[in-house]
Amino acid sequence: ATQSDIFVAVRDVIHGAATGRNCTLLTYGQTGSGKTFTMTGDASALSHGKQRGLIPRSLEALFRCMRPQAENTVARAEVGESMTSSSGQDLDFRIYISFIEIYC
């Protein structure tokens, strides 16, 4: 499977994160089987390219989902203040990301 194929398989997880769900992507397997490559991809292709892994593709998709909500705000707030959407809802974006490699 290509990096793109793998991302398509988990794309709904990323869209779930954009709607407020807690999400986890996990790779596991034998040493040398490509877990880190699947998650990060080719280091020289982090910003663009076919060999980007799940992490750069997921972050791009996550921020792409959030952008329209932020751009449709009525009032743009200072750092630390909430923003108000055109529908009057307060917008509060918080993203926490961890990348852990465990070797046994």
Side-chain angles (χ1 to χ4, degrees):
T2 66
Q3 294 285 51
S4 180
D5 294 338
I6 295 168
F7 178 71
V8 167
V10 300
R11 182 173 39 198
D12 291 340
V13 174
I14 304 309
H15 290 291
T19 61
R21 293 189 183 103
N22 292 323
C23 301
T24 300
L25 296 177
L26 173 75
T27 58
Y28 68 96
Q30 187 173 347
T31 299
S33 62
K35 301 173 296 294
T36 301
F37 182 76
T38 297
M39 294 302 281
T40 61
D42 181 359
S44 65
L46 287 179
S47 60
H48 52 289
K50 291 182 178 182
Q51 294 301 317
R52 290 181 311 145
L54 288 179
I55 293 171
R57 288 172 191 266
S58 298
L59 291 175
E60 179 184 3
L62 181 61
F63 288 119
R64 191 179 304 131
C65 289
M66 292 168 44
R67 183 176 298 135
Q69 295 175 45
E71 288 176 350
N72 289 328
T73 58
V74 171
R76 300 220 177 247
E78 297 296 321
V79 174
E81 296 178 9
S82 65
M83 295 187 292
T84 305
S85 72
S86 57
S87 64
Q89 273 186 309
D90 284 344
L91 299 176
D92 185 20
F93 297 110
R94 294 180 189 177
I95 300 173
Y96 300 94
I97 300 169
S98 298
F99 176 67
I100 302 170
E101 289 189 66
I102 300 173
Y103 292 94
C104 298

